[in-house]
Amino acid sequence: MDSEQKKKEIYTYQAPWTTYALGWSRRGTEHDFKLAVGSFKEEYSNQVHVIQLDKDDQGQGAFRKVAEFDHPYPATKVMWAPASSNATTPELFATTGDYLRLWNYNSDGKVDLKCLLNNNRHTEYCAPLTGFDWNDADPTLIGTCSVDTTCTMWDVVKLAPKTQLIAHDKEVYDIAFASSTNVFATVGADGSLRMFDLRTLEHSTILYEAPDLSPLLRVVWNKMDNNYLATIQTNSPKTTVLDVRMPSVACMELLAHQASVNGLAWAPHSSCHLCTCSDDHEALIWDITAAPKTIDEPMLSYTAESEINQLQWDKTQEQRVGICFDNSVQVLRV
């Protein structure tokens, strides 16, 4: 396949429902890879599909569904375990919704529930989990965030909570680890982005507050340069980049979207590239090398057929970005 063809590589999977949660397997190669994709149906009964790209001898690829299973309520996030040296064991992945669940994906295409993790055993009610992050430096550690203002750290080997903390004054919407074991950031409905250290949880640092205290929906940490994070607000076309060395002020603002930004991801291989997606149907890649105060022009753009509600950058093959819109998952070569 020549370079021009490679540039235009786009693979599409059509699901029978609106797609939302999306996660890349960490065992993918350049020519074959898997993703987990979750449904978004406003009812108890939801599903997750595991899809795999198969390529023929001519290099033409198509998605195939290799597994599916029921999931209570829509999965708010799905992530596969950080890459393991032991490729013979079942692949582990996790989902959040009403609880944190760990799943085994077996090579025969079967998915088994390994464990349901619940830190609130004294009541029949649960506070929904809005998201989680899996620690790359310590793959035994998952941090979840909840509408009950708390974050919980889980040991996924002992299948037990390590610690729980009240992180915000209102609902917590997202959590992201730095590339180290102990440091993580959260955002929430109180409009603040906070930084925590597991070694000193009695203190936290408010790195940023939205000017009108409107809720912050997502936070992503630049794994190639831990000085930088990025966040988005509800119903805002703006993406805010922050520098931990200069708390409380936006380091940069990315302003090309024409409608609400729904997702964002740092490039896994570059400290100065960030991808965002929006209700304006656009996925944009930004180059922040020059670090001006505002950036109006993205480096690359892709227009989907509808509002893009999810975006994930493949951590093992950095030329691939996955997006969700309507009933579709698309994988783009960047």
Side-chain angles (χ1 to χ4, degrees):
M1 189 183 294
D2 65 32
S3 59
E4 194 56 36
Q5 278 181 293
K6 278 191 172 182
K7 281 182 186 170
K8 292 178 179 171
E9 260 185 85
I10 298 173
Y11 303 109
T12 304
Y13 175 72
Q14 293 290 343
W17 22 252
T18 301
T19 57
Y20 179 65
L22 187 68
W24 289 94
S25 164
R26 305 293 280 272
R27 291 186 189 172
T29 66
E30 184 179 352
H31 299 296
D32 65 273
F33 50 86
K34 290 191 301 291
L35 300 103
V37 54
S39 65
F40 188 88
K41 297 188 284 183
E42 293 188 44
E43 56 189 66
Y44 179 79
S45 175
N46 276 261
Q47 285 77 41
V48 174
H49 286 183
V50 179
I51 60 176
Q52 180 170 311
L53 187 91
D54 296 325
K55 285 193 177 179
D56 60 23
D57 295 338
Q58 282 75 46
Q60 300 299 309
F63 274 120
R64 173 171 61 96
K65 180 177 68 178
V66 292
E68 67 178 305
F69 58 94
D70 290 334
H71 192 279
Y73 303 105
T76 52
K77 191 163 185 181
V78 57
M79 283 186 83
W80 297 73
S84 161
S85 56
N86 187 358
T88 59
T89 57
E91 263 187 286
L92 188 65
F93 65 96
T95 59
T96 43
D98 50 352
Y99 298 105
L100 172 65
R101 290 175 173 84
L102 299 176
W103 308 84
N104 279 325
Y105 173 79
N106 300 286
S107 54
D108 61 2
K110 279 185 62 182
V111 175
D112 305 311
L113 178 63
K114 179 180 180 181
C115 188
L116 181 153
L117 295 170
N118 176 16
N119 197 29
N120 200 6
R121 299 180 188 278
H122 305 300
T123 173
E124 61 185 288
Y125 302 106
C126 64
L129 300 176
T130 49
F132 70 99
D133 197 17
W134 208 317
N135 193 302
D136 279 325
D138 178 6
T140 68
L141 183 64
I142 282 180
T144 59
C145 51
S146 171
V147 298
D148 68 2
T149 76
T150 67
C151 291
T152 305
M153 297 294 148
W154 296 91
D155 185 319
V156 298
V157 175
K158 295 178 180 173
L159 303 177
K162 295 179 77 163
T163 187
Q164 186 174 54
L165 62 138
I166 295 174
H168 286 259
D169 302 328
K170 295 181 180 178
E171 298 95 329
V172 190
Y173 288 145
D174 202 11
I175 182 171
F177 285 106
S179 55
S180 60
T181 302
N182 294 298
V183 179
F184 63 96
T186 59
V187 290
D190 60 8
S192 70
L193 188 159
R194 304 184 183 209
M195 183 170 68
F196 296 85
D197 190 316
L198 288 172
R199 296 160 295 193
T200 53
L201 280 177
E202 60 272 17
H203 304 295
S204 70
T205 303
I206 296 180
L207 283 180
Y208 177 72
E209 287 185 313
D212 54 358
L213 295 183
S214 64
L216 296 175
L217 281 185
R218 296 281 173 265
V219 59
V220 287
W221 211 308
N222 187 333
K223 297 295 178 78
M224 300 298 288
D225 184 345
N226 280 180
N227 289 317
Y228 293 101
L229 303 95
T231 186
I232 55 176
Q233 289 172 238
T234 49
N235 304 317
S236 171
K238 180 176 70 176
T239 300
T240 303
V241 179
L242 304 160
D243 186 334
V244 297
R245 297 162 297 187
M246 296 184 292
S248 78
V249 293
C251 165
M252 264 169 278
E253 292 181 336
L254 314 180
L255 299 175
H257 281 297
Q258 303 301 308
S260 301
V261 179
N262 296 321
L264 68 172
W266 289 99
H269 62 296
S270 163
S271 62
C272 54
H273 292 98
L274 179 71
C275 191
T276 57
C277 67
S278 165
D279 277 350
D280 65 7
H281 303 198
E282 299 272 325
L284 306 178
I285 292 181
W286 306 83
D287 182 350
I288 64 165
T289 312
K293 193 68 180 165
T294 59
I295 306 179
D296 301 313
E297 286 291 322
M299 183 181 122
L300 288 169
S301 67
Y302 173 76
T303 305
E305 295 167 20
S306 184
E307 294 92 343
I308 305 174
N309 55 44
Q310 181 67 264
L311 174 150
Q312 297 292 334
W313 205 316
D314 187 353
K315 290 188 169 75
T316 54
Q317 298 290 322
E318 64 269 5
Q319 73 272 28
R320 293 194 291 248
V321 170
I323 58 173
C324 291
F325 58 90
D326 285 348
N327 287 23
S328 300
V329 175
Q330 276 192 339
V331 169
L332 317 172
R333 190 183 184 96
V334 297

